[in-house]
Amino acid sequence: MKKMGLLEQIKNKGLVLDGAMSYELEKKGVDNNNNKLWTATALIDQLSKVYQAHWDWLIFIKMAGSPTAGVEYLQQC
């Protein structure tokens, strides 16, 4: 089976990434306001920070050169 690069994977088959979104949003200054759905409300109130968190995750995966880099990184924490 041929290995695809990240952009090729997204273009041809799509790609599901999972990362520590709440941690990334907190780092970007999004306040949880004691709301269990605070990451959902961030989609409305602070969408640019949500986009930036996703973009940062894609850049991290690309720079690491591995589609499982995020999992490997989180397992080390």
Side-chain angles (χ1 to χ4, degrees), residues 6 10 15-25 27-28 49-75 77:
L6 179 63
I10 293 169
L15 185 64
V16 176
L17 298 175
D18 184 18
M21 180 57 64
S22 57
Y23 176 71
E24 288 299 317
L25 291 175
K27 282 185 4 184
K28 294 181 181 339
K49 290 183 181 181
V50 174
Y51 280 141
Q52 189 61 52
H54 280 91
W55 181 253
D56 291 349
W57 186 252
L58 285 171
I59 296 300
F60 170 78
I61 297 295
K62 180 67 175 166
M63 290 179 69
S66 166
T68 61
V71 173
E72 295 161 5
Y73 172 77
L74 292 173
Q75 287 175 343
C77 293

Side-chain angles (χ1 to χ4, degrees), residues 39-52:
T39 55
T41 59
L43 288 166
I44 297 167
D45 300 335
Q46 299 188 49
L47 185 57
S48 63
K49 290 183 181 181
V50 174
Y51 280 141
Q52 189 61 52

